[in-house]
Amino acid sequence: ATTRTFSIIKPDATRRNLTGAVTKMLEEAGLRVVASKRILMTEEQAKGFYEVHKDRPFYGELVSFMTSGPVVVQVLEGEDAVKRNRDVMGATNPADAAEGTIRKAYAENIEANSVHGSDSEENAATEIAFFFNDDEIVG
Ligand code: CMP
């Protein structure tokens, strides 16, 4: 079925002017950008978005990284969008990412890993609603 997922092009990628290159890989994987905006996340937004990781040792660093520069938040639509997006992103740690994936091509390390993608349809809905109003999504 055609479904939606939520994606972030992270500060390490926007800093290196890779917004287009990353988006091209998403599109070539069969995903359609149905909403997109470039924002500087506030500390409050980053903390809220990554709340599930609040007890992890990397939480503080993750929040500083995600607020260190612009990000591009996107809603992606496609056949089985969550899985399709996760497949093209590759493993969280670029050292483990497969050839042909975004993280293999562009990620700097496990934290500065260029992209985020929702890990389930349920989380996708929550994450989309965290950044977008319905009228900002045009399928
Ligand atoms: P993301 O998919 O956005 O979800 C959590 C993020 O935490 C992850 O990508 C990385 O950017 C970051 N991170 C930093 N260190 C780790 C780690 N050791 N394990 C998992 N994620 C990490």
Side-chain angles (χ1 to χ4, degrees):
T2 299
T3 55
R4 288 176 175 173
T5 192
F6 175 75
S7 170
I8 305 177
I9 303 176
K10 296 188 181 185
D12 66 287
T14 62
R15 191 176 288 130
R16 287 174 289 152
N17 207 22
L18 293 170
T19 297
V22 169
T23 302
K24 184 169 198 276
M25 288 182 77
L26 296 170
E27 290 177 340
E28 283 173 351
L31 294 160
R32 179 174 289 271
V33 180
V34 295
S36 184
K37 58 189 172 190
R38 179 172 164 112
I39 61 169
L40 192 54
M41 263 195 218
T42 64
E43 190 175 325
E44 189 187 354
Q45 278 177 312
K47 282 183 170 164
F49 183 77
Y50 281 120
E51 175 131 50
V52 303
H53 295 305
K54 70 175 182 319
D55 296 326
R56 308 283 287 272
F58 56 82
Y59 181 66
E61 263 197 49
L62 177 59
V63 169
S64 1
F65 167 61
M66 291 300 290
T67 56
S68 69
V71 300
V72 179
V73 291
Q74 297 178 318
V75 180
L76 307 176
E77 194 172 86
E79 184 71 21
D80 209 355
V82 169
K83 181 177 189 299
R84 194 175 281 269
N85 182 42
R86 292 186 73 73
D87 287 349
V88 70
M89 280 197 300
T92 303
N93 188 344
D96 303 327
E99 220 41 73
T101 63
I102 294 169
R103 285 167 171 161
K104 175 74 177 183
Y106 298 123
E108 296 181 322
N109 53 60
I110 195 170
E111 175 180 85
N113 62 358
S114 301
V115 279
H116 164 84
S118 308
D119 62 4
S120 68
E121 298 218 355
E122 192 187 351
N123 286 338
T126 307
E127 293 177 359
I128 288 168
F130 194 90
F131 287 104
F132 290 98
N133 296 317
D134 284 349
D135 67 358
E136 295 177 300
I137 305 167
V138 184

